Amino acid sequence: MKGFIISLSLSLILLSGCWSGRELADILIGVALGIDLVDDQYQVTLQVLDPAEVAANEGTSTRSTITNYTVTADTLFEAIRQLTVTTPRKVFLSHLRLLVYGEELAREGIGDTLDFLLRDHEIRSDFVITVAKGLSAKDVLGIMSPLEKTLAEKVYTSIESSERNWASTQRVELDELMDSILSNGKEAVLTGVSVRGDIEKGKEQSSVERTSPLALVYVDSLGVLKHDQLIGWLTREESQGLNFVVDNVQNTVEHIDWPEGGTITLELIRNQTKMDVSAKDDQVKVKLSVSTIANIGDVAANVSIRDLETLSEIEKHLGDKLKDLMQSTIDVAQKEQIDIFGFGDQLRRQDPKAWTALEKNWPEAFANAEISYDMLIEIRQSGMVTDPFDREFQKKLDEKKN
């Protein structure tokens, strides 16, 4: 966070000589924007960072470096302009990091808000877009963050980290969202943001002065959009399955149930999914070729991993687990006739003529698509210990007792 603030300050200093430059003391930096629907109006919450207060906090100041301002208006543009009534200085939006939609608004449709975000010359398109899961955007932005100075930075880095190391979220920016909404061959998904704990107490500074904050913000699943409307949520496992299908897994952890009892946990250190989509006589066929390299991270089963046949069996079980994970997500999407994988876009690239014939009825064609898999799993490392530690531990303990 400190590095982010320094970079902001440097960029603003460099702007001081431009025709549109502003003095650092004359602006507030908008870092997060929340949009809710309240009585058929837009309720906009803007989280701002005060650069002057950031500098003061390096010394002895105890004032917060961030402030939330909330206004309500008939249009998003009016609401943003209306913020000037409550904010003491001009708000600078070019460093926006996070946009949060309240779930109620997301279910009604977010299309009208996107027009303003695309047109405003100050707003860049590289902020992360999310949906507040089961609550308002205003409530989400009100939660104090125990480690980061702004909730915007906390959510931004959490999505990046979980996408990179857990594969249950996606970092979706404005351009990508617009492409998915406008495409006939792919629907959009957005990461869900939820709060666990006491929301009202989580807004107090005292919450983060405890070893266990009274409320925490989580990013843990994906919301599915049809056109520009949220229609439901994937589970964590289904969100991971989606990321495997669309080749968006960098690193994650999966466990398998061993047939003789116990579990084996593996770290997937590399994954690549290639998608092949074809159509003949209106029948769509999708082939997913998945190549995964994994390390054994934990063995809680009575099995020795010195044996090559055992390693081959572990690879087979992991391949089956990943295939089931992907297929369960595809089953959910096909039931709702919503192509969140981009099978339609891939067919358009591979066979434009077939796509043209199926485009108007793509939801039905997608729902009836045949899915096949080609799984290639390789266990690269099994660790320094080749036998389960608990078995060795129990053996040593029995010998000591006797």
Side-chain angles (χ1 to χ4, degrees), residues 54-332:
V54 171
N57 272 352
E58 295 296 328
T60 59
S61 175
T62 58
R63 290 173 56 188
S64 174
T65 58
I66 62 166
T67 305
N68 286 356
Y69 295 97
T70 301
V71 296
T72 303
D74 291 328
T75 68
L76 181 58
F77 193 16
E78 286 180 301
I80 296 295
R81 282 299 178 91
Q82 192 174 317
L83 283 167
T84 60
V85 176
T86 56
T87 57
R89 284 170 267 167
K90 170 68 177 178
V91 177
F92 197 62
L93 294 176
S94 65
H95 287 286
L96 197 67
R97 299 280 271 178
L98 174 69
L99 171 61
V100 183
Y101 285 109
E103 181 165 339
E104 182 179 351
L105 172 59
R107 289 188 179 276
E108 287 290 326
I110 63 175
D112 290 343
T113 68
L114 297 175
D115 183 74
F116 165 76
L117 296 171
L118 286 167
R119 290 177 185 275
D120 193 284
H121 69 279
E122 278 194 354
I123 300 178
R124 301 190 314 194
S125 62
D126 58 352
F127 53 87
V128 172
I129 305 175
T130 64
V131 177
K133 192 175 180 180
L135 70 165
S136 68
K138 179 182 178 181
D139 280 338
V140 169
L141 294 181
I143 301 299
M144 301 296 293
S145 175
L147 295 178
E148 303 291 351
K149 288 189 177 182
T150 70
L151 186 81
E153 189 67 11
K154 183 265 183 286
V155 174
Y156 188 95
T157 55
S158 291
I159 290 176
E160 281 192 329
S161 178
S162 60
E163 182 181 40
R164 185 169 56 248
N165 299 304
W166 191 233
S168 63
T169 61
Q170 282 190 21
R171 171 178 167 165
V172 179
E173 298 178 355
L174 183 59
D175 291 341
E176 180 183 351
L177 176 61
M178 288 299 300
D179 287 344
S180 296
I181 289 176
L182 296 175
S183 171
N184 290 329
K186 184 180 186 298
E187 297 289 357
V189 295
L190 291 173
T191 294
V193 182
S194 60
V195 177
R196 300 179 193 175
D198 190 316
I199 292 177
E200 293 306 316
K201 291 184 177 179
K203 298 176 182 179
E204 301 172 1
Q205 180 66 33
S206 58
S207 172
V208 295
E209 294 173 351
R210 303 161 53 99
T211 55
S212 299
L214 298 173
L216 290 172
V217 173
Y218 286 79
V219 291
D220 55 5
S221 60
L222 294 170
V224 177
L225 277 68
K226 185 173 184 179
H227 308 310
D228 70 330
Q229 294 177 296
L230 177 73
I231 64 165
W233 296 95
L234 299 177
T235 65
R236 179 183 63 79
E237 291 79 11
E238 291 165 352
S239 299
Q240 287 181 318
L242 168 61
N243 279 323
F244 272 104
V245 172
V246 301
D247 193 27
N248 190 43
V249 175
Q250 301 176 53
N251 186 292
T252 189
V253 174
E254 293 291 343
H255 79 273
I256 59 172
D257 296 319
W258 194 244
E260 284 76 30
T263 61
I264 299 174
T265 305
L266 302 104
E267 179 189 16
L268 280 59
I269 60 172
R270 193 177 305 164
N271 185 85
Q272 183 181 52
T273 302
K274 293 183 178 179
M275 182 189 301
D276 181 78
V277 184
S278 60
K280 185 177 181 180
D281 299 328
D282 294 338
Q283 177 60 59
V284 178
K285 294 185 178 182
V286 179
K287 181 179 180 181
L288 298 174
S289 301
V290 183
S291 177
T292 302
I293 297 176
N295 294 334
I296 294 179
D298 176 56
V299 179
N302 188 16
V303 60
S304 174
I305 55 177
R306 299 177 183 178
D307 186 16
L308 292 179
E309 290 186 5
T310 300
L311 289 177
S312 296
E313 190 173 354
I314 294 173
E315 291 171 347
K316 180 182 181 304
H317 284 296
L318 178 59
D320 291 341
K321 174 72 178 287
L322 298 183
K323 183 166 64 175
D324 291 343
L325 197 66
M326 290 184 285
Q327 188 60 49
S328 66
T329 309
I330 293 174
D331 288 343
V332 170

